[in-house]
Every structure is written in C-alpha cells, then in structure tokens.
Amino acid sequence: MEFDARLLRPAGGFGRRARLLAAASWAPNAALALGFFAGLLLAAPPAPPLPPGPRAAAARAAQPLGPGAAQRLGAAGPRGLEPLPPLPLRARRRGAQPHRALHPRLGLRAARRRAALQPGHPVWDLVCSDRWKVPLEQTTYLLGWLGGCIALGLACDRFGRRATFVFSLVLAVPLGIGVALAVNYLMLLSLRLLLGAALAGTFLSLYVARLELCDPPHRLMVVMVAGFFWVAGKLLLPGLAVLCRQWRLLQGVVTLTLALLATCWGCPSLFPESPRWLLATRQLEKGRKGLRALAEGNGVTLEDEFYSQEHLLAELECDLVPLPCYHTLGEVFSTRVIWRNGLILGFTAFIGSGIRHCFTRNLAPYRPQFYFSYFLLAALEVAACLFLCLTVNRFGRRPILLLCTILTGIASLLLLALTQYLLNWIILTLSVVGIACSQAVTMLSIFFASEVLPTVVRGAWLGLIMAASFVGKAAGPIMDIQNNRGFFLHHVVFASFAILSVLSIMLLPESKGKGLPESLQDGESQRRPPLFRSSRRRDHLPLLSPRSAGQACEARDYAHLVTATKRMLRSHRRTPPRDRQLLPEPAPGGDPQEET
C-alpha cells in the first residue's frame, strides 16, 4: 500500500490540517525536555575535590553555585530529607562559599545550624563515601527511559500512537508529584525510574505520530523543528531553577506542565490517531474516518468513492473485509532487510550517544563548570539540527550519516592519541566538533530508522533504537560511579566502534524522497543504492523505458492490474457451468452450422 502517493496526496498532503497538527506536536517537546533535563539539576555530581592548599581554597571559594547545587546535594542524601535553599546571588558575587562542605564534619555542623533556623527544612547528608549515589540516580533515570522506549514502543504498535501518548502522560503526572514528595533516597530512585519510563513513552509516541503525518518533502523539517523546541525547553530550565530555588518546587512546576499537556493534548482534535497506522493494521472503519477528517481539515472535498470500502480494500490488496492485523518483534527477526537496517541504525545511535562522554569530559576544566558545559551542549545541539536541515534533504540520509560518523571517529582518535601533545584550544575545538557530530549521528540515526522501518512495527523497533541510544548515554554516569576508572578503555572501545560503523552504514538503503514503508513486505523490498552515482551516460530509449516523460504509470499500477485480473478470473471460475456457456452445443451427428 502506497499511503503517501495514493491516499495522503489526494487528501491534501501536508495541507492546513496537517500543518496545524505538526505545529501542535512541537510544543510538548519543550515540556518533555524540562522533565528530562531536570535530572541534571536534581542529581548532577559535585565538583571533584581539589588538593589542600591556599590555591585550592581560593579555587573552591570562586566556584559558582549553579542553580541546582542544593538539589545536587538533595538527590544523593541517604536520609531522604529536603536540601537547604541555595545562597542568594549577592552572596555568591561577593565570593561567599556555598553550603557544600569542604570538610564533611564542618559542613554538616554548619548545615545543622542553618536547619535549626529553618524548621521543616532538614539537611541531606552527602559525604564522600556516598557520592556514588548521585551517578546511580542518573543511571537509574536513564534506565527508566530505556525501559519505557521498549515497553511503550510495543504499545504504540498494538494500541495506537494516541492511546500510548495519553496513557504515558496521565501516568507521568502522579509519578512527578511522587518525586517531588519523596521522603528517602530509595523512594526517589524508584519514582524517577518510573517517571523516566512514562516520559519515554510520551516522547516516542509523539515522535512516531508526527512523522506519519507528513509527506516525504516535509518529514525532515518537521522533525528538526521539534528538535529546536526540545533545545528551547533545555534552555528554559535554568531560569525556572533560579525562580523556584527549591528542587521540590521545580519538580512541581515540571509536573504542572505535564498535567497541562495531558489536559490539552488529550483532546482528539489536537492529537488524532494516525490514519496511516490504522490502515496499515487493517482497521478499515477507523482509518476511513481519520482520512476523511484529515482531508476535510486540509480543505479538500473528495467523492464518497474515495472513502468507499472497495477503494480502500483495493489499496490494501484484500478481497474481503480484513480483521485488525498486528505484528510482533518475533516476525521482524525472521526478516532480513528490516532486521539488518534496525540493527545498524541502533548501533550508530548507541555510538553517537556513548562516545559523547569522551568529548564532554574535556569541558570540565572550563569555568563556570556547570553553565559552560550546559549551554555549550545546547548550542551544539542547535548547530547539529541546522546542519541536518541544510544537508540531509539535498545529499541524502546515508551520505550525511556516513560523514558525521567519520568526523566523530577522527576527532575521537585524535584526542585519544594526541591529547598530551595538543594545546588546550585544539583539544577544545576537537571536543566541540566531536560533540556536534555525535549529536548529529544520534538524531539522524533515529530519524533514518523511522523512515526505513515499516509502519506496522515502527513504534517497537524505533523504541529499541532509542533504547540503544540511552544505553550509550548511561555510559557517562556509570563511569562516574567508578570515579572514571577505565575511561581510557571506554574511549578506545567507542572510537573503534565509530570506525566499524562506517562500513555498516554502506549497507543501508536511501529513504530520501520516498514514501514510508507500510507493511513488512514494503520494508523487505528496500534495496541499497550505490554509494556514488555512476558517471557513465546511458542511452535513453523511451520505448523501452518503464517510465517515460509522458507517462504517469508506475510499476505499482501493473501489480494492481494483475491483482484485479486474478480476482476476475477467480470469480469466473466460481460461476456455474451453464452461465459460462457461450455457444450452443452441436447436435449429435450433425454440423452446428446446418441447424439454422
């Protein structure tokens, strides 16, 4: 079934209604970014300790208190008590030290004195022996996103994009309230795990529904604009943290935005079910209603024959009214092309996310440590989105993914081999290039996968690929749990993986300008094009060409003609023999021409 050419284009394509729905799908990305990056303020690890001495004391005193420094202490406290509010901005400008302890006993004593002045605000006790709890919380949160991508990705293909989106949002609201009211570390850890899973389901279902709404020329731009809204939410978070001052209040504000999303975007007019998925899974009646609503919203009036059961059955290549048909991951593993494409793109998404920690580690010496790395990463994410917007539609998905992977591998190898011989500004430049390219690799791998995976399994397989990217993101907190032991081996492994993925990317098909595959058969029919176009000029034979300039026929038309002919012959065989008799039978012993 060619949904884009035969159904979406006559229904108005990316018309007024489709544009409004795409724009409505951008705004939730900002709220989801608040929920995702709030963990950086809630559980960001404190700065590493400096050796004793006057210079170290001055450096500690000059360290600025980020908007979430108090929250960083609060997330890792073993006693489950609320942290103290951060110091005022004026005190910080005068060089006053934050209430993070230079010496555990002195810091705890001073914090208790402040807690006595503020009843109801006891102190979370974070000492050096408990610092592993901070990266453990970060790892657990990412594991929640990983599990949510897998479980709710399966729900996207079984229950629909809209149902999964609404369920995830409704589940995220009480979990966010529970995180704000957590009374101990174990409760905080469990609720953050479940909250990450709920937010992952919301993000995944929204991503898939947004993509299936667009025609081929507009898919990339719609997805990249959603990425800009994601960065906007990331940039909005520090301002909210400064206004809220307390991590519990900040978590409450983030949860409030999720509740507003559940209230507004739960309306079917803002988030309808995907007609593409309904028809691909043989839900004929619901798909017909969704397609009609999309066409009428686009200002297109079609005849009733377009929505007739016979026309949709012909597009689905079915003789009888089918029952809803769903597919499992076991069926995908029995395929060859779909399974290979998903494995390669999951591998590249894993590399793009995992190798980023090797570059961001070089940003630590620059002050202010939190602000510099946070806003630099946001700026590089915008740069990666702009680069993909300008190049992918022009040069194709596969060449740009190949280019970004090569640049990531080269930057990683140079830093791995020559860090001790390079100047600081060269190390910073290579790290910036590596971060931008690795970010582009992750985003393009997920987008590329959503275009080559069939509609009937797009949610489940895209969930697996996003889960692979979160495995790579969890590499950073896992390294922090071990105090960065084995970082060199981590860097070597990911640099080797980046070079290895260059060979595997060449096996991918090209999806630029093509419709989305709907069924498993469509996904298996994708073929790998040559990496470089042939420079040899071929003879133009219009009589032998399957597609001449004056013809609008496609190879698919011939398949429909064959199907219709077989159906006619089948119905002809079912007729009684008397109805098939065209000439009278000859009389016995005589010539039929003489019986006139």
Side-chain angles (χ1 to χ4, degrees), residues 215-222 224 386-400 444 447 451 510-514 533:
D215 56 354
H218 297 92
R219 282 199 302 257
L220 176 70
M221 193 59 62
V222 169
M224 290 299 113
L386 287 174
F387 175 75
L388 295 180
C389 289
L390 297 175
T391 57
V392 171
N393 269 346
R394 182 173 182 180
F395 300 103
R397 280 67 166 152
R398 193 176 64 155
I400 300 302
L444 186 53
F447 174 72
E451 287 192 323
E510 180 56 61
S511 59
K512 177 183 124 178
K514 297 180 180 179
R533 293 183 179 179

Side-chain angles (χ1 to χ4, degrees), residues 166-245:
V166 174
F167 171 77
S168 302
L169 264 184
V170 172
L171 184 63
V173 173
L175 289 173
I177 296 175
V179 170
L181 301 177
V183 296
N184 55 53
Y185 178 74
L186 184 60
M187 181 179 178
L188 178 72
L189 208 65
S190 305
L191 290 174
R192 289 274 293 170
L193 175 70
L194 297 176
L195 178 62
L199 294 180
T202 307
F203 179 83
L204 176 61
S205 57
L206 191 66
Y207 191 100
V208 175
R210 181 191 303 120
L211 181 91
E212 293 178 350
L213 187 67
C214 306
D215 56 354
H218 297 92
R219 282 199 302 257
L220 176 70
M221 193 59 62
V222 169
V223 172
M224 290 299 113
V225 172
F228 291 134
F229 274 80
W230 177 270
V231 179
K234 182 178 181 179
L235 295 176
L236 181 63
L237 182 63
L240 286 179
V242 172
L243 293 176
C244 294
R245 316 286 294 179

